[in-house]
């Protein structure tokens, strides 16, 4: 069996991926893919990792934990998703993005030391990620939130390098959150490992949150009458309809944080694009491109 860990990050997925896969649990189970409900494993994984203190679990402990997580007796692939695997929100920015993420995932994979693992995560431009992460920590002062960290120095590659260093045998699959609407079917398949022949139900839910109802109806009608023959063709269609029918609140995001300027946002955005290009070159990393 192989375990695919979907790590978030915060302010990107909001459990949409695991909800979509869980809705298709029966179809995925027919292909040997187990998608347990998050209530079955999140607290269990956290508490077990704390008890083990980084040590490898015994076969007895592994069997007990798996028995509580899984419904099927046997599966080829197990999907575990939680945006708090890397850290809880209050600890996501401490001089670096998820500074202890590599070590935490090392401790978590030690619960199942004999089972192969994969890490999957979407990354977001820090210029929009940090304001949203701060907004969700209601009532927390910005200075307390940022703790002297220079936003211009934050790089996702530090997290990816940490994951690879502490878990050298675990492949990492990465995508830009900004690209997710265009590559959503590929993201779902990357995490679940389902066959190309399987069409997941409700896989268009993400687009429905980004596009007006009228735009969704028109896009669905267009695709019904002009079925895309290739992945690039489907992406071009989705991109065209998003350009025309995106919900205004999804396009006009305004952020105002103390000390932030337009120049800083532009600098962070440019650095993020360079950083993602660098991440795509790292050994052991698969980058999902639009």
């Amino acid at each position: 069996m192989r375990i695919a860990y979907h790590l978030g990050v915060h302010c990107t997925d909001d459990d949409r991926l695991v909800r979509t896969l869980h809705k298709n649990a029966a179809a995925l189970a027919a292909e040997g893919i187990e998608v347990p409900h998050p209530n079955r494993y999140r607290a269990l994984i956290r508490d077990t990792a704390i008890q083990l203190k980084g040590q490898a679990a015994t076969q007895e402990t592994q069997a007990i934990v798996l028995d509580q997580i899984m419904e099927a007796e046997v599966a080829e692939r197990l999907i575990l998703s939680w945006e708090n695997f890397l850290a809880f929100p209050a600890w996501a920015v401490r001089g670096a993005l998820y500074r202890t993420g590599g070590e935490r995932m090392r401790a978590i994979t030690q619960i199942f030391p004999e089972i192969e693992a994969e890490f999957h995560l979407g990354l977001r431009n820090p210029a929009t990620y940090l304001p949203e992460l701060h907004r969700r920590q209601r009532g927390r002062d910005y200075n307390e939130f940022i703790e002297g960290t220079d936003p211009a120095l934050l790089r996702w590659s530090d997290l990816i390098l940490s994951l690879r260093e502490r878990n050298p045998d675990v492949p990492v699959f990465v995508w830009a959150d900004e690209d997710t609407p265009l590559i959503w079917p590929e993201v779902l398949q990357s995490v679940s490992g389902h066959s190309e022949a399987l069409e997941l139900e409700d896989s268009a839910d993400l687009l429905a949150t980004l596009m007006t109802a009228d735009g969704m109806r028109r896009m669905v009608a267009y695709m019904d009458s002009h079925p895309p023959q290739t992945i690039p063709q489907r992406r071009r269609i989705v991109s065209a309809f998003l350009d025309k029918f995106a919900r205004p609140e999804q396009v006009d995001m305004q952020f105002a944080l103390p000390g932030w300027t337009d120049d800083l946002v532009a600098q962070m955005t440019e650095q993020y694009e360079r950083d993602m290009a660098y991440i795509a070159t790292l050994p052991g990393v698969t980058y999902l491109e639009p």
Side-chain angles (χ1 to χ4, degrees):
M1 185 172 70
R2 176 175 285 240
I3 300 178
Y5 295 90
H6 173 231
L7 313 180
V9 296
H10 296 109
C11 309
T12 61
D13 177 72
D14 295 328
D15 276 350
R16 184 173 290 108
L17 183 144
V18 71
R19 286 199 304 270
T20 299
L21 294 182
H22 190 67
K23 287 179 182 178
N24 291 270
L28 291 168
E31 295 191 353
I33 303 162
E34 175 95 3
V35 189
H37 192 281
N39 290 344
R40 294 179 68 98
Y41 59 82
R42 288 181 174 173
L44 175 64
I45 291 291
R46 177 199 64 202
D47 295 344
T48 304
I50 291 172
Q51 292 170 5
L52 290 173
K53 298 179 180 178
Q55 300 301 307
T58 64
Q59 289 190 346
E60 180 183 6
T61 298
Q62 293 179 60
I64 292 173
V65 174
L66 282 175
D67 185 59
Q68 294 182 66
I69 293 175
M70 298 178 58
E71 294 184 5
E73 292 188 9
V74 179
E76 296 179 8
R77 190 174 180 88
L78 176 63
I79 313 300
L80 303 180
S81 175
W82 196 23
E83 64 180 6
N84 293 329
F85 273 138
L86 293 170
F88 286 96
W91 298 87
V93 183
R94 293 292 174 98
L97 296 168
Y98 301 95
R99 178 181 291 279
T100 61
E103 188 64 36
R104 281 174 64 95
M105 290 314 301
R106 172 67 178 172
I108 287 171
T109 56
Q110 285 297 91
I111 300 174
F112 312 107
E114 299 170 9
I115 301 178
E116 293 185 350
E118 297 174 358
F119 298 152
H120 298 256
L121 66 166
L123 305 176
R124 179 174 175 176
N125 183 354
T128 65
Y129 166 78
L130 291 174
E132 179 62 15
L133 184 67
H134 176 250
R135 185 188 69 81
R136 295 187 185 192
Q137 298 181 43
R138 303 183 185 281
R140 192 178 183 198
D141 180 74
Y142 173 72
N143 291 327
E144 178 188 356
F145 163 74
I146 204 69
E147 289 194 348
T149 301
D150 185 349
L153 298 180
L154 295 174
R155 290 171 174 79
W156 287 114
S157 55
D158 292 337
L159 168 61
I160 304 303
L161 289 168
S162 172
L163 287 170
R164 291 291 299 146
E165 179 183 357
R166 298 300 299 144
N167 307 271
D169 297 326
V170 180
V172 180
F173 297 80
V174 176
W175 60 94
D177 183 58
E178 295 81 7
D179 294 335
T180 302
L182 300 181
I183 63 173
W184 185 232
E186 290 73 52
V187 169
L188 292 170
Q189 187 175 31
S190 175
V191 177
S192 73
H194 68 264
S195 68
E196 293 185 5
L198 178 60
E199 289 191 20
L200 299 181
E201 295 182 11
D202 296 327
S203 59
D205 283 1
L206 171 61
L207 289 176
T209 67
L210 304 174
M211 200 182 303
T212 64
D214 180 52
M216 277 297 297
R217 283 194 297 269
R218 293 190 184 198
M219 187 183 71
V220 170
Y222 181 87
M223 286 193 176
D224 286 344
S225 60
H226 303 80
Q229 301 302 306
T230 65
I231 290 175
Q233 187 179 16
R234 187 204 76 231
R235 291 175 180 173
R236 286 194 296 270
I237 295 170
V238 171
S239 180
F241 276 87
L242 279 173
D243 284 344
K244 189 171 183 180
F245 295 104
R247 295 178 183 271
E249 65 271 19
Q250 297 294 334
V251 177
D252 301 323
M253 292 186 293
Q254 300 294 326
F255 301 109
L257 289 176
W260 281 42
T261 64
D262 290 344
D263 286 344
L264 174 63
V265 170
Q267 176 187 348
M268 292 172 67
T269 300
E270 182 180 349
Q271 177 178 280
Y272 167 65
E273 293 171 353
R274 290 198 305 267
D275 197 36
M276 294 298 275
Y278 169 60
I279 288 171
T281 70
L282 294 175
V285 174
T286 299
Y287 188 80
L288 306 183
E289 297 186 80

PDB file of all heavy atoms in Angstrom, residues 18-40:
ATOM      1  N   VAL A  18     -10.434  16.797  -0.477  1.00  0.00           N
ATOM      2  CA  VAL A  18     -10.847  15.580   0.221  1.00  0.00           C
ATOM      3  C   VAL A  18     -12.365  15.399   0.165  1.00  0.00           C
ATOM      4  O   VAL A  18     -12.867  14.268   0.101  1.00  0.00           O
ATOM      5  CB  VAL A  18     -10.330  15.579   1.674  1.00  0.00           C
ATOM      6  CG1 VAL A  18     -11.069  16.586   2.542  1.00  0.00           C
ATOM      7  CG2 VAL A  18     -10.426  14.181   2.272  1.00  0.00           C
ATOM      8  N   ARG A  19     -13.119  16.507   0.141  1.00  0.00           N
ATOM      9  CA  ARG A  19     -14.576  16.382   0.005  1.00  0.00           C
ATOM     10  C   ARG A  19     -14.932  15.777  -1.347  1.00  0.00           C
ATOM     11  O   ARG A  19     -15.809  14.900  -1.438  1.00  0.00           O
ATOM     12  CB  ARG A  19     -15.256  17.740   0.169  1.00  0.00           C
ATOM     13  CG  ARG A  19     -15.304  18.280   1.583  1.00  0.00           C
ATOM     14  CD  ARG A  19     -16.360  19.368   1.732  1.00  0.00           C
ATOM     15  NE  ARG A  19     -16.164  20.456   0.792  1.00  0.00           N
ATOM     16  CZ  ARG A  19     -15.435  21.530   1.030  1.00  0.00           C
ATOM     17  NH1 ARG A  19     -14.814  21.658   2.195  1.00  0.00           N
ATOM     18  NH2 ARG A  19     -15.313  22.487   0.130  1.00  0.00           N
ATOM     19  N   THR A  20     -14.269  16.243  -2.399  1.00  0.00           N
ATOM     20  CA  THR A  20     -14.553  15.721  -3.731  1.00  0.00           C
ATOM     21  C   THR A  20     -14.194  14.242  -3.822  1.00  0.00           C
ATOM     22  O   THR A  20     -14.978  13.434  -4.333  1.00  0.00           O
ATOM     23  CB  THR A  20     -13.768  16.511  -4.803  1.00  0.00           C
ATOM     24  OG1 THR A  20     -14.159  17.881  -4.764  1.00  0.00           O
ATOM     25  CG2 THR A  20     -14.043  15.956  -6.191  1.00  0.00           C
ATOM     26  N   LEU A  21     -13.037  13.884  -3.312  1.00  0.00           N
ATOM     27  CA  LEU A  21     -12.628  12.479  -3.376  1.00  0.00           C
ATOM     28  C   LEU A  21     -13.525  11.597  -2.502  1.00  0.00           C
ATOM     29  O   LEU A  21     -13.864  10.474  -2.888  1.00  0.00           O
ATOM     30  CB  LEU A  21     -11.167  12.336  -2.952  1.00  0.00           C
ATOM     31  CG  LEU A  21     -10.125  12.982  -3.875  1.00  0.00           C
ATOM     32  CD1 LEU A  21      -8.712  12.725  -3.347  1.00  0.00           C
ATOM     33  CD2 LEU A  21     -10.261  12.471  -5.309  1.00  0.00           C
ATOM     34  N   HIS A  22     -13.935  12.119  -1.344  1.00  0.00           N
ATOM     35  CA  HIS A  22     -14.778  11.304  -0.469  1.00  0.00           C
ATOM     36  C   HIS A  22     -16.158  11.077  -1.077  1.00  0.00           C
ATOM     37  O   HIS A  22     -16.768  10.015  -0.883  1.00  0.00           O
ATOM     38  CB  HIS A  22     -14.912  11.969   0.902  1.00  0.00           C
ATOM     39  CG  HIS A  22     -15.556  11.095   1.935  1.00  0.00           C
ATOM     40  ND1 HIS A  22     -14.963   9.946   2.413  1.00  0.00           N
ATOM     41  CD2 HIS A  22     -16.748  11.187   2.562  1.00  0.00           C
ATOM     42  CE1 HIS A  22     -15.764   9.384   3.294  1.00  0.00           C
ATOM     43  NE2 HIS A  22     -16.855  10.104   3.404  1.00  0.00           N
ATOM     44  N   LYS A  23     -16.671  12.068  -1.837  1.00  0.00           N
ATOM     45  CA  LYS A  23     -17.941  11.879  -2.539  1.00  0.00           C
ATOM     46  C   LYS A  23     -17.845  10.734  -3.544  1.00  0.00           C
ATOM     47  O   LYS A  23     -18.857  10.110  -3.886  1.00  0.00           O
ATOM     48  CB  LYS A  23     -18.335  13.167  -3.262  1.00  0.00           C
ATOM     49  CG  LYS A  23     -18.823  14.281  -2.354  1.00  0.00           C
ATOM     50  CD  LYS A  23     -19.162  15.522  -3.172  1.00  0.00           C
ATOM     51  CE  LYS A  23     -19.599  16.668  -2.289  1.00  0.00           C
ATOM     52  NZ  LYS A  23     -19.879  17.905  -3.076  1.00  0.00           N
ATOM     53  N   ASN A  24     -16.623  10.480  -4.020  1.00  0.00           N
ATOM     54  CA  ASN A  24     -16.390   9.429  -5.006  1.00  0.00           C
ATOM     55  C   ASN A  24     -15.752   8.196  -4.372  1.00  0.00           C
ATOM     56  O   ASN A  24     -15.119   7.394  -5.060  1.00  0.00           O
ATOM     57  CB  ASN A  24     -15.491   9.958  -6.123  1.00  0.00           C
ATOM     58  CG  ASN A  24     -16.163  11.003  -6.988  1.00  0.00           C
ATOM     59  OD1 ASN A  24     -16.788  10.678  -7.991  1.00  0.00           O
ATOM     60  ND2 ASN A  24     -16.043  12.265  -6.609  1.00  0.00           N
ATOM     61  N   ALA A  25     -15.940   8.057  -3.055  1.00  0.00           N
ATOM     62  CA  ALA A  25     -15.248   6.996  -2.329  1.00  0.00           C
ATOM     63  C   ALA A  25     -15.558   5.604  -2.881  1.00  0.00           C
ATOM     64  O   ALA A  25     -14.665   4.755  -2.990  1.00  0.00           O
ATOM     65  CB  ALA A  25     -15.605   7.065  -0.844  1.00  0.00           C
ATOM     66  N   ALA A  26     -16.808   5.346  -3.246  1.00  0.00           N
ATOM     67  CA  ALA A  26     -17.184   4.017  -3.726  1.00  0.00           C
ATOM     68  C   ALA A  26     -16.500   3.697  -5.057  1.00  0.00           C
ATOM     69  O   ALA A  26     -15.950   2.603  -5.247  1.00  0.00           O
ATOM     70  CB  ALA A  26     -18.699   3.919  -3.872  1.00  0.00           C
ATOM     71  N   ALA A  27     -16.520   4.675  -5.968  1.00  0.00           N
ATOM     72  CA  ALA A  27     -15.880   4.458  -7.272  1.00  0.00           C
ATOM     73  C   ALA A  27     -14.375   4.289  -7.114  1.00  0.00           C
ATOM     74  O   ALA A  27     -13.756   3.461  -7.792  1.00  0.00           O
ATOM     75  CB  ALA A  27     -16.191   5.628  -8.201  1.00  0.00           C
ATOM     76  N   LEU A  28     -13.779   5.064  -6.217  1.00  0.00           N
ATOM     77  CA  LEU A  28     -12.343   4.952  -5.991  1.00  0.00           C
ATOM     78  C   LEU A  28     -12.001   3.633  -5.300  1.00  0.00           C
ATOM     79  O   LEU A  28     -10.971   3.019  -5.601  1.00  0.00           O
ATOM     80  CB  LEU A  28     -11.850   6.140  -5.157  1.00  0.00           C
ATOM     81  CG  LEU A  28     -11.890   7.491  -5.880  1.00  0.00           C
ATOM     82  CD1 LEU A  28     -11.666   8.638  -4.896  1.00  0.00           C
ATOM     83  CD2 LEU A  28     -10.848   7.544  -6.990  1.00  0.00           C
ATOM     84  N   ALA A  29     -12.865   3.189  -4.393  1.00  0.00           N
ATOM     85  CA  ALA A  29     -12.628   1.919  -3.704  1.00  0.00           C
ATOM     86  C   ALA A  29     -12.584   0.759  -4.690  1.00  0.00           C
ATOM     87  O   ALA A  29     -11.843  -0.209  -4.493  1.00  0.00           O
ATOM     88  CB  ALA A  29     -13.703   1.682  -2.650  1.00  0.00           C
ATOM     89  N   ALA A  30     -13.366   0.871  -5.769  1.00  0.00           N
ATOM     90  CA  ALA A  30     -13.365  -0.179  -6.788  1.00  0.00           C
ATOM     91  C   ALA A  30     -12.007  -0.284  -7.484  1.00  0.00           C
ATOM     92  O   ALA A  30     -11.685  -1.315  -8.083  1.00  0.00           O
ATOM     93  CB  ALA A  30     -14.459   0.083  -7.818  1.00  0.00           C
ATOM     94  N   GLU A  31     -11.206   0.787  -7.381  1.00  0.00           N
ATOM     95  CA  GLU A  31      -9.858   0.780  -7.952  1.00  0.00           C
ATOM     96  C   GLU A  31      -8.790   0.583  -6.881  1.00  0.00           C
ATOM     97  O   GLU A  31      -7.606   0.812  -7.115  1.00  0.00           O
ATOM     98  CB  GLU A  31      -9.609   2.079  -8.724  1.00  0.00           C
ATOM     99  CG  GLU A  31     -10.500   2.231  -9.947  1.00  0.00           C
ATOM    100  CD  GLU A  31     -10.056   3.382 -10.850  1.00  0.00           C
ATOM    101  OE1 GLU A  31      -9.147   4.148 -10.454  1.00  0.00           O
ATOM    102  OE2 GLU A  31     -10.598   3.495 -11.963  1.00  0.00           O
ATOM    103  N   GLY A  32      -9.218   0.204  -5.679  1.00  0.00           N
ATOM    104  CA  GLY A  32      -8.265  -0.072  -4.608  1.00  0.00           C
ATOM    105  C   GLY A  32      -7.778   1.158  -3.875  1.00  0.00           C
ATOM    106  O   GLY A  32      -6.741   1.127  -3.219  1.00  0.00           O
ATOM    107  N   ILE A  33      -8.544   2.263  -3.990  1.00  0.00           N
ATOM    108  CA  ILE A  33      -8.150   3.533  -3.372  1.00  0.00           C
ATOM    109  C   ILE A  33      -9.089   3.837  -2.207  1.00  0.00           C
ATOM    110  O   ILE A  33     -10.294   3.964  -2.391  1.00  0.00           O
ATOM    111  CB  ILE A  33      -8.204   4.682  -4.401  1.00  0.00           C
ATOM    112  CG1 ILE A  33      -7.317   4.352  -5.606  1.00  0.00           C
ATOM    113  CG2 ILE A  33      -7.783   6.001  -3.759  1.00  0.00           C
ATOM    114  CD1 ILE A  33      -7.619   5.175  -6.833  1.00  0.00           C
ATOM    115  N   GLU A  34      -8.548   3.966  -1.029  1.00  0.00           N
ATOM    116  CA  GLU A  34      -9.339   4.226   0.176  1.00  0.00           C
ATOM    117  C   GLU A  34      -9.300   5.715   0.508  1.00  0.00           C
ATOM    118  O   GLU A  34      -8.215   6.305   0.643  1.00  0.00           O
ATOM    119  CB  GLU A  34      -8.775   3.428   1.351  1.00  0.00           C
ATOM    120  CG  GLU A  34      -9.445   3.710   2.677  1.00  0.00           C
ATOM    121  CD  GLU A  34     -10.555   2.722   3.009  1.00  0.00           C
ATOM    122  OE1 GLU A  34     -10.754   1.782   2.230  1.00  0.00           O
ATOM    123  OE2 GLU A  34     -11.205   2.884   4.056  1.00  0.00           O
ATOM    124  N   VAL A  35     -10.483   6.325   0.636  1.00  0.00           N
ATOM    125  CA  VAL A  35     -10.582   7.747   1.006  1.00  0.00           C
ATOM    126  C   VAL A  35     -11.427   7.843   2.272  1.00  0.00           C
ATOM    127  O   VAL A  35     -12.637   8.080   2.216  1.00  0.00           O
ATOM    128  CB  VAL A  35     -11.207   8.591  -0.122  1.00  0.00           C
ATOM    129  CG1 VAL A  35     -11.092  10.084   0.223  1.00  0.00           C
ATOM    130  CG2 VAL A  35     -10.525   8.321  -1.457  1.00  0.00           C
ATOM    131  N   PRO A  36     -10.833   7.661   3.436  1.00  0.00           N
ATOM    132  CA  PRO A  36     -11.609   7.717   4.674  1.00  0.00           C
ATOM    133  C   PRO A  36     -12.068   9.142   4.979  1.00  0.00           C
ATOM    134  O   PRO A  36     -11.459  10.122   4.522  1.00  0.00           O
ATOM    135  CB  PRO A  36     -10.611   7.234   5.730  1.00  0.00           C
ATOM    136  CG  PRO A  36      -9.271   7.551   5.155  1.00  0.00           C
ATOM    137  CD  PRO A  36      -9.407   7.394   3.674  1.00  0.00           C
ATOM    138  N   HIS A  37     -13.136   9.252   5.756  1.00  0.00           N
ATOM    139  CA  HIS A  37     -13.586  10.566   6.187  1.00  0.00           C
ATOM    140  C   HIS A  37     -12.538  11.148   7.128  1.00  0.00           C
ATOM    141  O   HIS A  37     -11.968  10.434   7.970  1.00  0.00           O
ATOM    142  CB  HIS A  37     -14.931  10.464   6.911  1.00  0.00           C
ATOM    143  CG  HIS A  37     -15.584  11.785   7.130  1.00  0.00           C
ATOM    144  ND1 HIS A  37     -15.204  12.636   8.154  1.00  0.00           N
ATOM    145  CD2 HIS A  37     -16.571  12.430   6.450  1.00  0.00           C
ATOM    146  CE1 HIS A  37     -15.941  13.736   8.105  1.00  0.00           C
ATOM    147  NE2 HIS A  37     -16.771  13.641   7.085  1.00  0.00           N
ATOM    148  N   PRO A  38     -12.243  12.449   7.011  1.00  0.00           N
ATOM    149  CA  PRO A  38     -11.203  13.054   7.853  1.00  0.00           C
ATOM    150  C   PRO A  38     -11.398  12.843   9.345  1.00  0.00           C
ATOM    151  O   PRO A  38     -10.410  12.803  10.101  1.00  0.00           O
ATOM    152  CB  PRO A  38     -11.293  14.545   7.489  1.00  0.00           C
ATOM    153  CG  PRO A  38     -11.786  14.554   6.083  1.00  0.00           C
ATOM    154  CD  PRO A  38     -12.757  13.405   6.002  1.00  0.00           C
ATOM    155  N   ASN A  39     -12.647  12.720   9.804  1.00  0.00           N
ATOM    156  CA  ASN A  39     -12.881  12.506  11.231  1.00  0.00           C
ATOM    157  C   ASN A  39     -12.274  11.199  11.733  1.00  0.00           C
ATOM    158  O   ASN A  39     -12.057  11.034  12.935  1.00  0.00           O
ATOM    159  CB  ASN A  39     -14.379  12.512  11.538  1.00  0.00           C
ATOM    160  CG  ASN A  39     -14.994  13.886  11.388  1.00  0.00           C
ATOM    161  OD1 ASN A  39     -14.292  14.892  11.340  1.00  0.00           O
ATOM    162  ND2 ASN A  39     -16.319  13.942  11.305  1.00  0.00           N
ATOM    163  N   ARG A  40     -12.000  10.290  10.813  1.00  0.00           N
ATOM    164  CA  ARG A  40     -11.462   8.994  11.211  1.00  0.00           C
ATOM    165  C   ARG A  40      -9.964   9.051  11.527  1.00  0.00           C
ATOM    166  O   ARG A  40      -9.456   8.138  12.184  1.00  0.00           O
ATOM    167  CB  ARG A  40     -11.702   7.952  10.116  1.00  0.00           C
ATOM    168  CG  ARG A  40     -13.153   7.611   9.882  1.00  0.00           C
ATOM    169  CD  ARG A  40     -13.281   6.590   8.763  1.00  0.00           C
ATOM    170  NE  ARG A  40     -12.733   5.285   9.127  1.00  0.00           N
ATOM    171  CZ  ARG A  40     -13.454   4.262   9.566  1.00  0.00           C
ATOM    172  NH1 ARG A  40     -14.762   4.387   9.688  1.00  0.00           N
ATOM    173  NH2 ARG A  40     -12.890   3.116   9.875  1.00  0.00           N
TER     174      ARG A  40
END
